Amino acid sequence: MAIFSRRRVVNVLRILWVLIILWYELGSFSSSASDCNWPDSILYPVSVPIRPSHVLLVADPQIVDRYSYPSRGAFLSYLTRVLVDLNLRKNWRVALQKRPDVVVFLGDMMDNGRSVMPEEEYEAYYRRFSDIFRIDKDIPRYFIPGNHDIGLGKSLKFSPDARHRYSAHFGYPNQEISVANHSLILFDAPSYADEDSQRHGQRKSFEKWVPIRYGALDFMKKFSSTTFAHPFSEEKHTDPVILFSHIPLYRSDGRGCGPLREKGTLRPGVGHGYQNTLEKRSSQRLLEFFKPVAIFSGDDHDYCEYTHQLALPRGSPQLIHEITVKTISMVMNVRRPGFQLLSLAPADLRQDGKPTYSDTPCLLPDQLGIYLNVYIPLLAISLLIVFASNIKQGPRPSHYKNLSNGTQISLVSGAHADIEETELGLYSIPPPVSIGTSSKTSRAQGWFVLQTERRGLKAEHPSLLEWFDRIKDALSSFWPGSSRLVARRRSWLWIYALDIRDVAIFPLCTFVMITWWVVAH
C-alpha cells in the first residue's frame, strides 16, 4: 500500500482529529485544574488535623442571551449562546473539582438580567444560569449584584423590577455571613454608587442623608450599633472582615495591576449603565467603615491587584489588598478566563504574625484561541492534505468484462480519454499499439490489461508530465463551463467530498459525545 494512499490519509486524519478534540475539549481543562490548588500551606502546619475553609470566588459569568449580540443575526446569536454555555459548563466543572466549602458569585450573573423582558423570559434566563452552574445542595452559594443584574443609573432599557427580580432569585443584595471566624461582607456596590450619586445631586452631606430603605447605606447603618461618626465598632466585630464588591474601589489613573493582567490597566471611568470604580470618597468611606483585611471585586473581567492604604489614628497606615477576579466567561475580552481560590484559617489555626487568609488565581484554557489557532488551521491543513491525496492518485474509473474462459479484462480509460464516451460507457478494446507509437498517443487511446489469477501488474510511478496533467485536471474541475470535464469534475469532487466526510464524522461525533457528557453531568 502506498504511504500516501487516500484511505491511509483519511484514517490518519481521523485519529489525529479525535485525539486533538479529546485533549482540547477535556484534557486541557483537567490539566488546568490539576495545576491550581488551595493556598493552605502558608496558613497552618501540615501536621494539624484542622484545615482552612475553602471559598470559591466566581466573577462575571454574564451568560448571554438573544439581546447580547443583536447584529449577529438569529443563527449566529444562537450558535454563540450554545458555544459560550458549553464553555461555561466546562469551566464550572473545573472549578467544582476543587471541592469548595462555600461559593461566592461576584455579580453580573446574566448579561441582560437588568433589561425589560416578560417574566416568563426572565424565568427561562434564570433556569439557564442555574442549569449551567449546578452545585451540590450541601455547598452554600452566595451572590452579590452587578450592574448587569440590577442596573446602574437610569435607562429606559432597564427594568424597574430588576432589583425585585434579583432579590427573589439570588437573595438579599447586602449580607454578612460568617465562615471560619471571618466576617464576609456581601455588598451591593451598584446601589451604593447610585445612592451616593443621588446624595451628591441633592447636595446633602453623608451624615444628613437619610438612607434608602434596604439599600446599601441602610445596610451600613444597621450593620453597626454606633453612629456613622464611629463606624464599625471593633468591640462588636472581632473577626477579620473580607469585603466583596462587584465594582472595584477607587485607585488613581495609571496604576498597575500586576503581572497576571492580560492587557492595560483598571482606570476610573463611568458610562451608560457601568462604572469602572467607585468614587474616591465612597471608596474611602467603605475602608473606614468596614476596615477589611482584604477586598475581592469583579466587573473589570481581567485580573488586577492593588493595595489600598487606610490611615489609622495611631501608627502606620493599614494596607488592604484588593483582588479583581477574572471573569469565568470566554467572551469578556480576556483570552484566559479564571476563578479565585480563597482559604480562610479558623481561630484554632491562627498564629501570631501570620495572615488569616490566603488566595490564588486559577487560569482556564483559552477556548477562543483553541477555535482560532488550533481547529481552524488544522481544518485548512486537513483539506489540503485530502486534496493532495486525491491529486496524487486521481480518479481512474475501471470497467471489467469476463471472457468465456474466465479471464477478466480490465478496460481503464486513459488520463485524456473522451469524457462523453466515459459517461456513456462506450469502452472498446483499442487496436494494438505499434512499436513506433509514442507514449503520448497510447495514453490518449487508453490501454488494455489482461488480468488472470496468477498475473498482476503494479502501477508505475507517474512521470513528471503525468503529474502536471493530474494537477491541471484537478484544478480545472473547479472551473465552471468546461463541458469536456463535466464528468471528471463530478467524479473528482464527489470522491473529495466523501473523503472529507469520512475524516469529519469521527471528530464531530467525539465533540457531540463530549458535549452531551458535559451537559448531562
Side-chain angles (χ1 to χ4, degrees), residues 12-24 503 505-508 510 514:
V12 169
L13 287 177
R14 280 175 176 172
I15 297 172
L16 177 64
W17 267 103
V18 168
L19 292 177
I20 287 177
I21 292 291
L22 287 173
W23 169 251
Y24 282 106
V503 171
I505 190 168
F506 281 87
L508 285 177
T510 303
I514 291 174

Side-chain angles (χ1 to χ4, degrees), residues 152-153 163 187-212 215-218 220 228 247 249-250 270 275 277-287:
L152 180 60
R163 188 177 303 277
F187 191 66
D188 182 1
S191 297
Y192 180 55
D194 261 344
E195 191 169 355
D196 228 24
S197 177
Q198 294 177 34
R199 182 181 63 81
H200 279 295
Q202 298 181 25
R203 298 184 178 181
K204 290 187 177 181
S205 66
F206 183 78
E207 290 75 15
K208 294 182 179 180
W209 175 257
V210 179
I212 298 174
L217 293 180
D218 190 37
M220 294 171 65
F228 283 118
I247 303 176
L249 273 63
Y250 177 84
V270 63
Q275 187 170 324
T277 65
L278 294 173
E279 295 293 337
K280 183 176 182 179
R281 187 66 190 96
S282 301
S283 300
Q284 189 67 22
R285 189 178 298 114
L286 283 180
L287 297 178

Side-chain angles (χ1 to χ4, degrees), residues 401 403 409-411 426-432 445-449:
K401 183 176 180 180
L403 300 181
I409 298 176
S410 174
L411 305 176
L426 301 178
Y427 289 91
S428 59
I429 300 176
Q445 292 177 342
W447 61 85
F448 171 85
V449 180

Side-chain angles (χ1 to χ4, degrees), residues 472-484:
K472 181 188 69 174
D473 290 347
L475 293 177
S476 64
S477 67
F478 289 102
W479 194 265
S482 177
S483 59
R484 182 177 178 82

Side-chain angles (χ1 to χ4, degrees), residues 206-266:
F206 183 78
E207 290 75 15
K208 294 182 179 180
W209 175 257
V210 179
I212 298 174
R213 190 179 183 187
Y214 302 125
L217 293 180
D218 190 37
F219 169 76
M220 294 171 65
K221 184 175 182 179
K222 293 178 179 178
F223 193 78
S224 175
S225 59
T226 61
T227 63
F228 283 118
H230 302 87
F232 204 74
S233 172
E234 293 185 0
E235 289 75 16
K236 182 179 178 182
H237 295 89
T238 58
D239 290 338
V241 174
I242 297 180
L243 176 64
F244 297 93
S245 167
H246 176 70
I247 303 176
L249 273 63
Y250 177 84
R251 71 284 315 271
S252 56
D253 194 7
R255 292 297 181 95
C257 281
L260 295 181
R261 188 174 179 87
E262 291 189 13
K263 54 186 177 182
T265 187
L266 204 166

Side-chain angles (χ1 to χ4, degrees), residues 219-498:
F219 169 76
M220 294 171 65
K221 184 175 182 179
K222 293 178 179 178
F223 193 78
S224 175
S225 59
T226 61
T227 63
F228 283 118
H230 302 87
F232 204 74
S233 172
E234 293 185 0
E235 289 75 16
K236 182 179 178 182
H237 295 89
T238 58
D239 290 338
V241 174
I242 297 180
L243 176 64
F244 297 93
S245 167
H246 176 70
I247 303 176
L249 273 63
Y250 177 84
R251 71 284 315 271
S252 56
D253 194 7
R255 292 297 181 95
C257 281
L260 295 181
R261 188 174 179 87
E262 291 189 13
K263 54 186 177 182
T265 187
L266 204 166
R267 300 179 180 276
V270 63
H272 177 68
Y274 74 91
Q275 187 170 324
N276 292 341
T277 65
L278 294 173
E279 295 293 337
K280 183 176 182 179
R281 187 66 190 96
S282 301
S283 300
Q284 189 67 22
R285 189 178 298 114
L286 283 180
L287 297 178
E288 294 171 354
F289 193 86
F290 292 116
K291 293 185 175 63
V293 296
I295 303 170
F296 292 93
S297 56
D299 187 62
D300 184 63
H301 302 161
D302 206 348
Y303 189 84
C304 188
E305 298 179 1
Y306 184 76
T307 301
H308 302 276
Q309 292 189 3
L310 175 62
L312 299 176
R314 294 183 299 273
S316 58
Q318 177 185 349
L319 301 181
I320 303 173
H321 200 50
E322 179 179 353
I323 296 292
T324 301
V325 180
K326 264 199 166 189
T327 176
I328 198 173
S329 174
M330 62 175 280
V331 289
M332 296 297 138
N333 295 320
V334 293
R335 298 307 295 264
R336 297 198 65 181
F339 52 87
Q340 200 82 4
L341 301 180
L342 173 63
S343 295
L344 302 177
D348 295 339
L349 289 181
R350 295 176 190 171
Q351 303 178 33
D352 294 338
K354 284 196 173 184
T356 64
Y357 79 96
S358 181
D359 66 280
T360 187
C362 295
L363 299 181
L364 295 161
D366 178 7
Q367 184 74 78
L368 188 61
I370 292 172
Y371 290 148
L372 298 180
N373 302 328
V374 178
Y375 292 162
I376 291 180
L378 184 59
L379 174 62
I381 293 173
S382 300
L383 293 175
L384 288 175
I385 291 175
V386 175
F387 180 83
S389 68
N390 277 269
I391 288 179
K392 183 178 185 302
Q393 297 188 24
R396 295 183 179 274
S398 301
H399 297 260
Y400 296 92
K401 183 176 180 180
N402 292 325
L403 300 181
S404 58
N405 60 1
T407 304
Q408 189 181 58
I409 298 176
S410 174
L411 305 176
V412 187
S413 63
H416 299 280
D418 189 271
I419 300 302
E420 285 78 3
E421 292 182 0
T422 302
E423 282 202 307
L424 294 174
L426 301 178
Y427 289 91
S428 59
I429 300 176
V433 180
S434 62
I435 297 176
T437 305
S438 66
S439 60
K440 182 176 181 180
T441 305
S442 64
R443 285 197 308 272
Q445 292 177 342
W447 61 85
F448 171 85
V449 180
L450 183 65
Q451 294 180 337
T452 64
E453 295 181 357
R454 300 179 59 184
R455 180 182 179 186
L457 296 179
K458 294 184 178 179
E460 296 181 356
H461 292 289
S463 65
L464 183 61
L465 180 59
E466 288 176 321
W467 267 105
F468 281 120
D469 289 341
R470 291 179 182 179
I471 294 175
K472 181 188 69 174
D473 290 347
L475 293 177
S476 64
S477 67
F478 289 102
W479 194 265
S482 177
S483 59
R484 182 177 178 82
L485 295 172
V486 170
R488 179 174 293 276
R489 178 169 65 246
R490 290 174 181 171
S491 174
W492 190 88
L493 285 177
W494 179 249
I495 295 174
Y496 182 53
L498 290 179

